[in-house]
Coordinates of all heavy atoms in Angstrom, one line a residue:
M201 N 11.3 47.3 -16.1 CA 11.4 46.1 -16.8 C 11.9 44.9 -16.0 O 11.5 43.8 -16.0 CB 12.2 46.1 -18.1 CG 11.2 46.6 -19.3 SD 9.7 45.7 -19.4 CE 10.1 44.2 -20.4
K202 N 13.0 45.2 -15.2 CA 13.7 44.2 -14.4 C 12.7 43.6 -13.4 O 12.6 42.5 -13.1 CB 14.8 44.8 -13.7 CG 16.2 44.4 -14.4 CD 17.3 44.7 -13.5 CE 18.6 44.2 -14.1 NZ 19.9 44.6 -13.3
F203 N 11.8 44.6 -12.8 CA 10.9 44.2 -11.8 C 9.9 43.0 -12.4 O 9.6 42.1 -11.8 CB 10.1 45.4 -11.4 CG 9.0 45.0 -10.4 CD1 9.1 44.6 -9.1 CD2 7.7 45.1 -10.9 CE1 8.1 44.3 -8.2 CE2 6.6 44.7 -10.0 CZ 6.8 44.4 -8.7
L204 N 9.5 43.2 -13.6 CA 8.6 42.3 -14.3 C 9.2 40.9 -14.5 O 8.6 40.0 -14.4 CB 8.2 42.9 -15.8 CG 7.0 43.8 -15.6 CD1 6.6 44.4 -17.1 CD2 5.7 43.2 -15.1
I205 N 10.5 40.9 -14.8 CA 11.2 39.7 -15.1 C 11.3 38.9 -13.7 O 11.1 37.7 -13.6 CB 12.7 39.9 -15.6 CG1 12.5 40.4 -17.0 CG2 13.4 38.7 -15.6 CD1 13.7 41.1 -17.5
W206 N 11.6 39.7 -12.5 CA 11.7 39.0 -11.3 C 10.3 38.5 -10.8 O 10.2 37.5 -10.4 CB 12.2 40.0 -10.3 CG 13.7 40.0 -10.3 CD1 14.4 41.2 -10.7 CD2 14.6 39.0 -9.9 NE1 15.7 40.8 -10.6 CE2 15.9 39.5 -10.2 CE3 14.5 37.7 -9.5 CZ2 17.0 38.8 -10.0 CZ3 15.6 37.0 -9.3 CH2 16.9 37.5 -9.5
L207 N 9.3 39.3 -11.2 CA 7.9 38.9 -11.0 C 7.6 37.5 -11.7 O 7.0 36.6 -11.2 CB 7.0 40.0 -11.4 CG 5.5 39.9 -10.8 CD1 5.6 40.3 -9.3 CD2 4.6 40.9 -11.6
L208 N 8.0 37.5 -12.9 CA 7.8 36.3 -13.8 C 8.5 35.1 -13.2 O 7.9 34.1 -13.1 CB 8.2 36.6 -15.2 CG 7.8 35.5 -16.3 CD1 6.3 35.7 -16.5 CD2 8.6 35.8 -17.5
I209 N 9.7 35.3 -12.8 CA 10.6 34.2 -12.2 C 9.8 33.8 -10.9 O 9.7 32.5 -10.7 CB 12.0 34.7 -12.0 CG1 12.7 34.9 -13.4 CG2 12.8 33.6 -11.1 CD1 14.1 35.6 -13.2
G210 N 9.4 34.7 -10.1 CA 8.8 34.4 -8.9 C 7.6 33.6 -9.1 O 7.3 32.6 -8.4
Y211 N 6.8 33.9 -10.1 CA 5.6 33.2 -10.5 C 5.9 31.7 -10.9 O 5.2 30.8 -10.4 CB 4.9 34.0 -11.6 CG 3.6 33.4 -12.1 CD1 2.5 33.3 -11.3 CD2 3.5 32.8 -13.3 CE1 1.4 32.7 -11.7 CE2 2.4 32.0 -13.7 CZ 1.4 32.1 -12.9 OH 0.1 31.4 -13.3
I212 N 6.9 31.6 -11.8 CA 7.3 30.2 -12.2 C 7.7 29.3 -11.0 O 7.3 28.3 -10.9 CB 8.4 30.4 -13.3 CG1 7.9 31.0 -14.6 CG2 9.0 29.0 -13.5 CD1 8.9 31.5 -15.5
V213 N 8.5 30.0 -10.2 CA 9.0 29.2 -9.0 C 7.8 28.8 -8.2 O 7.6 27.6 -7.7 CB 10.0 30.1 -8.1 CG1 10.3 29.3 -6.9 CG2 11.3 30.2 -9.0
F214 N 6.9 29.8 -7.9 CA 5.7 29.6 -7.2 C 4.9 28.4 -7.8 O 4.4 27.5 -7.1 CB 4.8 30.8 -7.1 CG 3.5 30.6 -6.6 CD1 3.3 30.5 -5.2 CD2 2.3 30.6 -7.4 CE1 2.0 30.4 -4.6 CE2 1.1 30.4 -6.9 CZ 0.9 30.3 -5.5
R215 N 4.8 28.4 -9.1 CA 4.0 27.2 -9.8 C 4.6 26.0 -9.6 O 4.0 25.0 -9.4 CB 4.0 27.7 -11.3 CG 2.9 28.8 -11.7 CD 1.4 28.4 -11.3 NE 1.1 27.1 -12.1 CZ 0.4 27.2 -13.3 NH1 0.0 28.4 -13.7 NH2 0.0 26.2 -13.9
I216 N 6.0 25.9 -9.7 CA 6.7 24.6 -9.6 C 6.5 24.2 -8.2 O 6.2 22.9 -7.9 CB 8.2 24.8 -9.9 CG1 8.4 25.1 -11.4 CG2 9.0 23.6 -9.5 CD1 9.8 25.7 -11.8
V217 N 6.6 25.0 -7.1 CA 6.6 24.5 -5.8 C 5.1 24.0 -5.6 O 4.9 23.0 -5.0 CB 6.9 25.7 -4.8 CG1 6.5 25.3 -3.4 CG2 8.4 26.0 -4.9
R218 N 4.1 24.8 -6.0 CA 2.7 24.5 -5.8 C 2.4 23.1 -6.5 O 1.7 22.3 -6.0 CB 1.9 25.6 -6.3 CG 1.0 26.1 -5.4 CD 0.0 27.1 -5.9 NE -1.0 26.4 -6.6 CZ -2.4 26.6 -6.6 NH1 -2.7 27.7 -5.9 NH2 -3.3 25.9 -7.2
G219 N 3.0 23.1 -7.7 CA 2.7 21.8 -8.6 C 3.2 20.5 -7.9 O 2.6 19.5 -7.9
K220 N 4.3 20.6 -7.2 CA 5.0 19.5 -6.5 C 4.1 19.1 -5.3 O 4.0 18.0 -5.1 CB 6.4 19.8 -6.1 CG 7.4 19.6 -7.1 CD 8.8 19.9 -6.7 CE 9.8 19.7 -7.8 NZ 11.1 20.4 -7.4
K221 N 3.6 20.2 -4.7 CA 2.8 19.8 -3.5 C 1.4 19.2 -3.9 O 0.9 18.3 -3.1 CB 2.4 21.2 -2.8 CG 3.4 21.5 -1.7 CD 2.9 22.8 -1.0 CE 4.0 23.3 0.0 NZ 3.6 24.5 0.6
E222 N 1.0 19.4 -5.1 CA -0.3 18.8 -5.5 C -0.2 17.3 -5.9 O -1.1 16.6 -5.9 CB -0.9 19.6 -6.7 CG -1.6 20.8 -6.1 CD -1.9 21.9 -7.3 OE1 -1.7 21.4 -8.5 OE2 -2.4 22.9 -6.9
L223 N 1.1 16.8 -6.2 CA 1.3 15.5 -6.5 C 1.0 14.6 -5.2 O 1.5 15.0 -4.1 CB 2.7 15.3 -6.9 CG 3.1 15.7 -8.4 CD1 4.6 15.6 -8.7 CD2 2.4 14.9 -9.5
P224 N 0.4 13.5 -5.5 CA 0.2 12.6 -4.3 C 1.5 12.0 -3.7 O 2.3 11.4 -4.5 CB -0.7 11.6 -4.7 CG -0.6 11.6 -6.3 CD -0.1 13.0 -6.6
S225 N 1.8 12.3 -2.5 CA 3.1 11.8 -2.0 C 2.8 10.4 -1.6 O 1.8 9.9 -1.3 CB 3.4 12.5 -0.7 OG 2.5 12.3 0.3
P226 N 4.0 9.6 -1.7 CA 3.8 8.1 -1.4 C 3.4 7.9 -0.1 O 2.8 6.8 0.3 CB 5.2 7.6 -1.7 CG 6.1 8.7 -2.1 CD 5.3 9.9 -2.1
E227 N 3.7 8.8 0.9 CA 3.3 8.6 2.3 C 1.8 8.7 2.5 O 1.2 8.1 3.3 CB 4.0 9.7 3.2 CG 5.5 9.2 3.5 CD 6.2 10.4 4.0 OE1 5.7 11.3 4.8 OE2 7.4 10.6 3.7
A228 N 1.1 9.5 1.7 CA -0.3 9.8 1.7 C -1.1 8.5 1.3 O -2.1 8.3 1.8 CB -0.7 10.9 0.8
T229 N -0.5 7.7 0.4 CA -1.2 6.6 -0.1 C -0.7 5.3 0.5 O -1.3 4.2 0.4 CB -1.1 6.4 -1.6 OG1 0.4 6.6 -2.0 CG2 -1.8 7.6 -2.4
K230 N 0.4 5.4 1.3 CA 1.0 4.2 2.0 C 0.1 3.6 3.0 O -0.6 4.4 3.7 CB 2.4 4.6 2.6 CG 3.3 3.4 2.6 CD 4.7 3.9 3.0 CE 4.9 4.2 4.4 NZ 6.2 4.7 4.7
G231 N -0.1 2.4 3.0 CA -0.8 1.7 4.0 C -2.3 1.6 3.7 O -3.1 0.9 4.2
E232 N -2.6 2.3 2.5 CA -4.1 2.2 2.2 C -4.1 1.2 1.0 O -3.6 1.4 0.0 CB -4.6 3.6 1.7 CG -6.1 3.6 1.7 CD -6.6 5.1 1.5 OE1 -5.8 6.1 1.2 OE2 -7.8 5.3 1.6
E233 N -4.8 0.1 1.3 CA -4.8 -1.0 0.4 C -5.8 -0.6 -0.7 O -6.9 -0.1 -0.6 CB -5.4 -2.3 1.1 CG -4.8 -3.5 0.4 CD -5.3 -4.8 1.3 OE1 -5.7 -4.7 2.4 OE2 -5.1 -5.8 0.8
T234 N -5.4 -1.0 -2.0 CA -6.3 -0.6 -3.2 C -6.6 -2.0 -3.9 O -5.7 -3.0 -3.8 CB -5.6 0.3 -4.1 OG1 -4.4 -0.3 -4.6 CG2 -5.5 1.7 -3.6
F235 N -7.7 -2.0 -4.4 CA -8.2 -3.2 -5.2 C -8.6 -2.9 -6.6 O -9.1 -1.7 -6.8 CB -9.4 -3.8 -4.5 CG -9.1 -4.2 -2.9 CD1 -9.4 -3.3 -2.0 CD2 -8.6 -5.4 -2.6 CE1 -9.1 -3.5 -0.7 CE2 -8.3 -5.7 -1.3 CZ -8.6 -4.7 -0.4
R236 N -8.4 -3.8 -7.5 CA -8.7 -3.6 -8.9 C -10.1 -4.1 -9.2 O -10.4 -5.2 -9.0 CB -7.7 -4.2 -9.8 CG -7.8 -3.6 -11.3 CD -6.6 -4.1 -12.1 NE -6.7 -3.7 -13.4 CZ -7.3 -4.4 -14.3 NH1 -7.8 -5.5 -14.0 NH2 -7.4 -4.0 -15.6
D237 N -11.0 -3.2 -9.7 CA -12.3 -3.6 -10.1 C -12.2 -4.4 -11.4 O -11.6 -3.9 -12.4 CB -13.0 -2.3 -10.5 CG -14.5 -2.5 -10.9 OD1 -14.8 -3.6 -11.5 OD2 -15.4 -1.7 -10.5
P238 N -12.6 -5.7 -11.4 CA -12.4 -6.5 -12.6 C -13.3 -6.2 -13.8 O -13.0 -6.6 -14.8 CB -12.7 -7.9 -12.0 CG -13.6 -7.7 -10.8 CD -13.3 -6.4 -10.2
V239 N -14.2 -5.4 -13.5 CA -15.1 -4.9 -14.6 C -14.6 -3.8 -15.4 O -14.4 -3.9 -16.6 CB -16.6 -4.7 -14.1 CG1 -17.5 -4.2 -15.2 CG2 -17.2 -5.9 -13.3
C240 N -14.3 -2.8 -14.8 CA -13.8 -1.5 -15.4 C -12.3 -1.3 -15.2 O -11.8 -0.3 -15.9 CB -14.7 -0.3 -15.0 SG -14.5 0.1 -13.3
G241 N -11.8 -2.0 -14.4 CA -10.2 -1.8 -14.2 C -9.8 -0.7 -13.4 O -8.7 -0.4 -13.2
V242 N -10.8 0.0 -12.7 CA -10.5 1.1 -11.8 C -10.0 0.6 -10.4 O -10.4 -0.5 -10.0 CB -11.8 2.0 -11.6 CG1 -11.7 2.8 -10.4 CG2 -12.0 2.9 -12.9
Y243 N -9.0 1.3 -9.9 CA -8.5 1.0 -8.5 C -9.3 1.7 -7.5 O -9.5 3.0 -7.5 CB -7.0 1.3 -8.4 CG -6.2 0.3 -9.1 CD1 -5.8 0.5 -10.6 CD2 -5.7 -0.8 -8.6 CE1 -5.1 -0.4 -11.2 CE2 -4.9 -1.7 -9.3 CZ -4.6 -1.5 -10.6 OH -3.8 -2.4 -11.3
V244 N -9.8 0.9 -6.5 CA -10.5 1.5 -5.4 C -9.9 1.1 -4.1 O -9.4 0.1 -4.0 CB -12.1 1.1 -5.4 CG1 -12.8 1.6 -6.6 CG2 -12.1 -0.5 -5.5
T245 N -10.1 1.9 -3.1 CA -9.7 1.7 -1.8 C -10.7 0.9 -1.0 O -11.8 1.0 -1.4 CB -9.3 3.0 -1.0 OG1 -10.5 3.7 -0.9 CG2 -8.2 3.8 -1.6
A246 N -10.3 0.2 0.0 CA -11.3 -0.5 0.8 C -12.5 0.3 1.2 O -13.7 -0.2 1.3 CB -10.6 -1.3 1.9
D247 N -12.3 1.5 1.6 CA -13.3 2.4 2.1 C -14.4 2.7 1.0 O -15.6 2.8 1.3 CB -12.8 3.7 2.6 CG -12.1 3.6 4.0 OD1 -12.3 2.5 4.5 OD2 -11.4 4.4 4.4
D248 N -13.9 2.8 -0.3 CA -14.8 3.2 -1.4 C -15.4 2.0 -2.1 O -16.3 2.2 -2.9 CB -14.0 4.1 -2.4 CG -13.5 5.4 -1.8 OD1 -14.2 5.9 -1.0 OD2 -12.4 5.9 -2.2
A249 N -14.9 0.8 -1.9 CA -15.2 -0.3 -2.7 C -16.6 -0.9 -2.3 O -17.0 -0.7 -1.1 CB -14.2 -1.4 -2.5
V250 N -17.2 -1.3 -3.3 CA -18.4 -2.2 -3.1 C -18.0 -3.6 -3.1 O -17.4 -4.1 -4.1 CB -19.5 -2.0 -4.2 CG1 -20.7 -2.9 -4.0 CG2 -19.9 -0.6 -4.3
V251 N -18.2 -4.4 -2.1 CA -17.6 -5.7 -2.0 C -18.5 -6.8 -2.3 O -19.6 -6.8 -1.8 CB -17.0 -6.0 -0.5 CG1 -16.3 -7.4 -0.4 CG2 -15.9 -4.8 -0.2
G252 N -18.2 -7.6 -3.2 CA -19.0 -8.7 -3.5 C -18.1 -10.1 -3.2 O -16.9 -10.0 -3.2
T253 N -18.8 -11.1 -3.0 CA -18.0 -12.4 -2.8 C -18.3 -13.5 -3.8 O -19.5 -13.6 -4.3 CB -18.4 -12.9 -1.4 OG1 -19.8 -13.0 -1.2 CG2 -17.9 -12.1 -0.3
L254 N -17.3 -14.1 -4.2 CA -17.4 -15.2 -5.2 C -16.6 -16.4 -4.7 O -15.4 -16.3 -4.5 CB -16.8 -14.7 -6.6 CG -16.8 -15.9 -7.6 CD1 -18.1 -16.2 -8.2 CD2 -16.0 -15.3 -8.8
E255 N -17.3 -17.5 -4.4 CA -16.7 -18.7 -3.8 C -15.9 -18.3 -2.6 O -14.7 -18.9 -2.6 CB -16.0 -19.4 -5.0 CG -16.9 -20.0 -6.0 CD -16.2 -20.4 -7.2 OE1 -15.0 -20.3 -7.3 OE2 -16.9 -20.8 -8.2
G256 N -16.3 -17.6 -1.8 CA -15.7 -17.2 -0.6 C -14.6 -16.1 -0.8 O -13.9 -15.7 0.2
E257 N -14.3 -15.8 -2.0 CA -13.3 -14.6 -2.2 C -13.9 -13.4 -2.3 O -15.0 -13.2 -3.0 CB -12.7 -15.0 -3.6 CG -11.1 -14.8 -3.5 CD -10.5 -15.1 -4.9 OE1 -10.8 -16.2 -5.4 OE2 -9.9 -14.3 -5.4
R258 N -13.3 -12.4 -1.8 CA -13.9 -11.0 -1.6 C -13.4 -10.3 -3.0 O -12.2 -10.2 -3.2 CB -13.5 -10.3 -0.4 CG -14.1 -10.7 0.8 CD -13.4 -10.4 2.0 NE -13.5 -8.9 2.3 CZ -14.5 -8.2 2.9 NH1 -15.5 -8.9 3.4 NH2 -14.5 -7.0 3.1
I259 N -14.4 -9.7 -3.7 CA -14.0 -8.9 -4.8 C -14.5 -7.5 -4.7 O -15.7 -7.3 -4.2 CB -14.6 -9.6 -6.1 CG1 -14.2 -11.1 -6.3 CG2 -14.3 -8.8 -7.3 CD1 -15.1 -11.9 -7.1
H260 N -13.7 -6.6 -5.0 CA -13.9 -5.1 -4.8 C -14.3 -4.4 -6.0 O -13.6 -4.6 -7.1 CB -12.8 -4.4 -4.2 CG -12.5 -5.1 -2.8 ND1 -11.9 -6.2 -2.6 CD2 -12.7 -4.6 -1.5 CE1 -11.8 -6.5 -1.3 NE2 -12.2 -5.4 -0.5
F261 N -15.5 -3.8 -6.0 CA -15.9 -3.0 -7.3 C -16.1 -1.6 -6.9 O -16.2 -1.2 -5.7 CB -17.2 -3.6 -7.7 CG -17.3 -5.0 -8.0 CD1 -17.6 -5.9 -7.0 CD2 -17.0 -5.5 -9.3 CE1 -17.6 -7.4 -7.4 CE2 -17.0 -6.8 -9.5 CZ -17.3 -7.7 -8.5
C262 N -16.0 -0.7 -7.9 CA -16.0 0.6 -7.8 C -17.5 1.2 -7.5 O -17.8 2.1 -6.9 CB -15.5 1.5 -8.9 SG -16.5 1.4 -10.4
S263 N -18.4 0.3 -8.0 CA -19.8 0.8 -7.8 C -20.7 -0.5 -7.9 O -20.2 -1.5 -8.3 CB -20.2 1.7 -8.9 OG -20.2 1.1 -10.1
H264 N -22.0 -0.2 -7.5 CA -22.9 -1.3 -7.6 C -23.1 -1.8 -9.0 O -23.4 -3.0 -9.3 CB -24.3 -1.0 -6.9 CG -24.1 -1.0 -5.4 ND1 -24.3 -2.3 -4.7 CD2 -24.1 -0.1 -4.4 CE1 -24.2 -2.1 -3.4 NE2 -24.1 -0.7 -3.2
E265 N -23.0 -0.8 -9.9 CA -23.2 -1.1 -11.3 C -22.3 -2.2 -11.9 O -22.6 -3.1 -12.5 CB -23.1 0.1 -12.2 CG -24.4 1.0 -12.2 CD -24.1 2.3 -12.8 OE1 -23.5 2.3 -13.9 OE2 -24.5 3.3 -12.2
C266 N -21.0 -2.0 -11.4 CA -19.9 -3.0 -11.8 C -20.2 -4.4 -11.2 O -20.0 -5.3 -11.7 CB -18.6 -2.4 -11.5 SG -17.9 -1.2 -12.6
L267 N -20.7 -4.3 -9.9 CA -21.1 -5.5 -9.2 C -22.0 -6.3 -10.0 O -21.9 -7.6 -10.2 CB -21.5 -5.3 -7.9 CG -21.9 -6.4 -7.0 CD1 -20.9 -7.4 -6.7 CD2 -22.5 -5.8 -5.7
E268 N -23.2 -5.6 -10.4 CA -24.2 -6.2 -11.2 C -23.7 -6.8 -12.5 O -24.1 -7.8 -12.9 CB -25.3 -5.2 -11.4 CG -26.1 -4.7 -10.1 CD -26.7 -6.0 -9.4 OE1 -27.2 -6.9 -10.0 OE2 -26.5 -6.1 -8.1
K269 N -22.8 -6.0 -13.2 CA -22.3 -6.4 -14.6 C -21.6 -7.7 -14.3 O -21.6 -8.7 -15.1 CB -21.4 -5.3 -15.0 CG -22.1 -4.3 -15.9 CD -21.2 -3.4 -16.5 CE -21.9 -2.1 -17.0 NZ -20.8 -1.0 -17.3
F270 N -20.8 -7.7 -13.2 CA -19.9 -8.9 -13.0 C -20.8 -10.1 -12.7 O -20.5 -11.2 -13.2 CB -19.0 -8.7 -11.6 CG -18.0 -9.8 -11.4 CD1 -16.9 -9.9 -12.1 CD2 -18.2 -10.6 -10.3 CE1 -15.9 -10.8 -11.9 CE2 -17.3 -11.6 -10.1 CZ -16.2 -11.7 -10.9
R271 N -21.9 -10.0 -11.9 CA -22.8 -11.1 -11.7 C -23.5 -11.5 -12.9 O -23.6 -12.7 -13.1 CB -23.9 -10.6 -10.7 CG -23.5 -10.8 -9.2 CD -24.5 -10.3 -8.3 NE -24.1 -10.3 -6.9 CZ -24.7 -9.7 -5.9 NH1 -25.8 -8.9 -6.2 NH2 -24.2 -9.7 -4.7
E272 N -23.9 -10.6 -13.8 CA -24.5 -10.9 -15.1 C -23.6 -11.7 -16.0 O -24.0 -12.7 -16.6 CB -24.9 -9.5 -15.9 CG -26.3 -9.1 -15.5 CD -26.5 -7.7 -16.1 OE1 -26.2 -7.6 -17.2 OE2 -27.2 -6.8 -15.4
N273 N -22.3 -11.3 -16.0 CA -21.3 -12.0 -16.7 C -21.1 -13.5 -16.2 O -21.1 -14.4 -17.1 CB -20.0 -11.3 -16.7 CG -19.9 -10.1 -17.6 OD1 -20.8 -9.9 -18.5 ND2 -18.9 -9.2 -17.3
L274 N -21.2 -13.7 -14.9 CA -21.1 -15.0 -14.4 C -22.3 -15.9 -14.9 O -22.1 -17.0 -15.2 CB -21.0 -14.9 -12.9 CG -19.7 -14.4 -12.3 CD1 -19.7 -14.4 -10.7 CD2 -18.6 -15.4 -12.6
E275 N -23.5 -15.2 -14.7 CA -24.7 -15.9 -15.2 C -24.7 -16.4 -16.6 O -25.1 -17.5 -17.0 CB -25.9 -15.1 -14.8 CG -26.3 -15.2 -13.4 CD -27.3 -14.1 -13.0 OE1 -28.0 -13.6 -13.9 OE2 -27.3 -13.7 -11.8
H276 N -24.0 -15.5 -17.5 CA -24.0 -15.8 -18.9 C -23.0 -17.0 -19.2 O -23.2 -17.8 -20.0 CB -23.6 -14.6 -19.7 CG -24.7 -13.6 -19.9 ND1 -26.0 -13.9 -20.4 CD2 -24.8 -12.3 -19.5 CE1 -26.7 -12.9 -20.4 NE2 -26.0 -11.9 -19.8
K277 N -22.0 -17.0 -18.4 CA -21.0 -18.0 -18.5 C -21.4 -19.4 -18.1 O -21.1 -20.4 -18.7 CB -19.6 -17.7 -17.8 CG -18.8 -16.7 -18.6 CD -17.5 -16.3 -17.7 CE -16.8 -15.1 -18.3 NZ -15.9 -14.6 -17.4
A278 N -22.2 -19.3 -17.1 CA -22.7 -20.6 -16.4 C -23.7 -21.3 -17.3 O -24.4 -20.7 -18.1 CB -23.3 -20.3 -15.0
Ligands
LIG93 ZN1 -16.1 -0.3 -11.9

């Protein structure tokens, strides 16, 4: 029975160590600029973003769909 308890403790420790490793470390995300999609509110990195321009300002979207929605909204407002 003692062996089983040690096995269980070992398993729990293993899970904790593994779980910590899976968390994104601040170093991994450091230096990578993120932009907020104004349509759906998702944060995207410059690499993943679809960039649109509005009055010379660069706006980052998560997808072309959001870019299109943003453009549609502008047209409705105008
Ligand atoms: Zn989006």
Side-chain angles (χ1 to χ4, degrees):
M201 270 314 274
K202 261 192 173 177
F203 174 73
L204 275 177
I205 292 163
W206 280 111
L207 198 72
L208 190 71
I209 291 166
Y211 177 72
I212 290 164
V213 170
F214 171 75
R215 284 295 299 265
I216 291 166
V217 171
R218 242 188 76 137
K220 274 181 184 168
K221 272 186 182 175
E222 280 167 5
L223 284 171
S225 68
E227 279 163 38
T229 50
K230 207 165 77 180
E232 203 168 3
E233 212 178 342
T234 54
F235 304 91
R236 193 170 177 271
D237 184 326
V239 178
C240 66
V242 156
Y243 285 89
V244 287
T245 60
D247 285 347
D248 297 326
V250 177
V251 181
T253 49
L254 174 70
E255 291 164 5
E257 222 180 306
R258 285 160 70 87
I259 303 163
H260 297 73
F261 302 93
C262 71
S263 65
H264 280 285
E265 279 170 47
C266 282
L267 175 65
E268 290 303 315
K269 275 184 198 170
F270 188 75
R271 276 182 184 161
E272 273 176 39
N273 285 341
L274 283 179
E275 279 164 26
H276 285 302
K277 276 177 195 168

